[in-house]
Amino acid sequence: MATLKTPSKLEKILAAGHLAVTSECGPPRGSDPEAITRKAEMIKDHVDAINITDNQTSVTRLCSLASCIHIKLMGLEPILQMVVRDRNRIALQSDILGAASFDIFNMLCLSGDHQSFGDCPAGQNVFDIDSMQLLQTVRRMRDEGKFLGGDEIKRPPRMFVGAAANPFADPFEIRVPRLAKKVAAGAEFIQTQCIYNLDKFEKWMQGVRDRGLHEKVHILAGLTPMKSAGMAKYMKNRVPGMDVPDEVIKRMSGVPKEQQPQEGLDICVEAIQRLKEVEGVHGFHIMAIEWEDKVPELVERGGLYPRPQVD
Amino acid sequence: MIVAERKPIEEIIDYVKDKQTILVAGCNECVTVCEAGGKKEVGVLASALRMYFMNQGKDVKIDEVTLERQCDHEYLEEIRNVIDKYDAVVSIACGVGVQFMAEKYFSTPVYPGVNTCFMGVTEERGVWSERCQGCGQCILGRTAGICPISRCAKRLLNGPCGGSSKGKCEISKDVPCAWQLIIDRLKELGRLDDYEILAPIKDWSTDRAGGPRTVVREDVRL
Ligand code: SF4
Ligand code: SF4
């Protein structure tokens, strides 16, 4: 494994050709670290690395960096999510160094939801640079040891760098080119938006393979198990860029309410099984929003357990 | 043009409720086009104020004037002879006009009568929308003539983001996604491949971030 660029465990697992499994934890709206450590405890044996969301849906929460440090102190592997909505290029670079000082070895570069969705809709946003430019920034800091301004960094960050992709946003024709652009900007792994429309996802993957992008970047398929038919409908109608086909809604609504959580988990497991066969899918990113206790079941039933040991 | 909209009358009344003589000053340029601060609106605002004071049983003198422009010395000079007669001016020019008036007539209180919104176009009668934020370093040549700085809610230079849906922006079904527009036009121009050129990190020093900006043209200075 001489080609490894960072000490990241996620990078090692992917480089060794294993299907990686990541999951995420949303930090609390308060300062109690237990909210993070408890969730991490539930999933730690079933995932390779844990994403920490960065004020997701623009709601103010305990910061991603501090949460990642809690995860790191537990001996686990955090993935620092960073949105460009809230910080200018000085703050972004400074936080990257802060994370690197705690040996956080993975980072996911995002633009972030617009603040109008969150608890501070009247706030100012920043968007000094965009997510692709954040990718370029981290790669420059890591590979050239330089700040954006050109000055040298003592002990540059060593981070495995990722980005998000939404195969379901519009316009569809730009979705593969947009991935190509993220790869050109320096993305080494991709975590996708949650996939319910498998046909469309496979069509996107076909486009990805046609351009050979699956050989340049590790794609982790994003999954979120649904708890109820209500949640499915909400996701279809209210969450921008989400594609929930009618048959999924029908299937969820077709079972009694108390069985709907199980149905949601079954749909998720079936998706894992089908997506495992898709060439270019190198792993799964399970976003079990406040349902972390189900992650072990999903990973086990998806045939992704036990997790490989590297090192 | 600069687009503005009328302030609520209550807010204006609050500024001037203790004054005896008031000049309502409009502007014949942008705010006339967007029907917020031209001669017609001067008349409407002056009448509303007169009505208010009459109801309060107060005898307040309210005059009306509409200058060709409030952002030029030449036209602002036209009221130099009369300005001292007033306790206050309510300017319904854009924020630029209000400030220039205040700069020029330093001891006269000048209050804004409109909210200055943005630089935009008349889409149709009664509908104005934003097109430019005056960033001082125009990138329209790279974005098919559609400005993502003023029209994308996240100012993305390499968009569209994952929230773009059916041509609309994630913030609202009523807002077109700027990047959908850019891509549609790139396609129309046969330049879709240009989308994959990574946009350089923007130099915002020519924008608000660089402090107040000045354009100096030595060749046209007197
Ligand atoms: S790029 Fe700058 S100058 Fe050009 S239209 Fe947009 S905001 Fe205005
Ligand atoms: S949906 Fe389009 S306009 Fe709205 S923030 Fe995303 S890229 Fe910008």
Side-chain angles (χ1 to χ4, degrees), chain B residues 151-154 156 160-161 163-164 168-170 176-179:
Chain B
R151 303 189 69 188
C152 163
K154 299 180 190 168
L156 300 181
C161 77
S164 177
K168 303 298 180 196
C169 174
E170 71 173 29
C177 167
W179 275 98

Side-chain angles (χ1 to χ4, degrees), chain A residues 9-31:
Chain A
K9 177 179 162 195
L10 180 62
E11 183 182 5
K12 285 184 192 128
I13 286 182
L14 289 165
H18 301 297
L19 283 174
V21 179
T22 57
S23 188
E24 67 171 31
C25 291
R29 304 207 67 211
S31 61

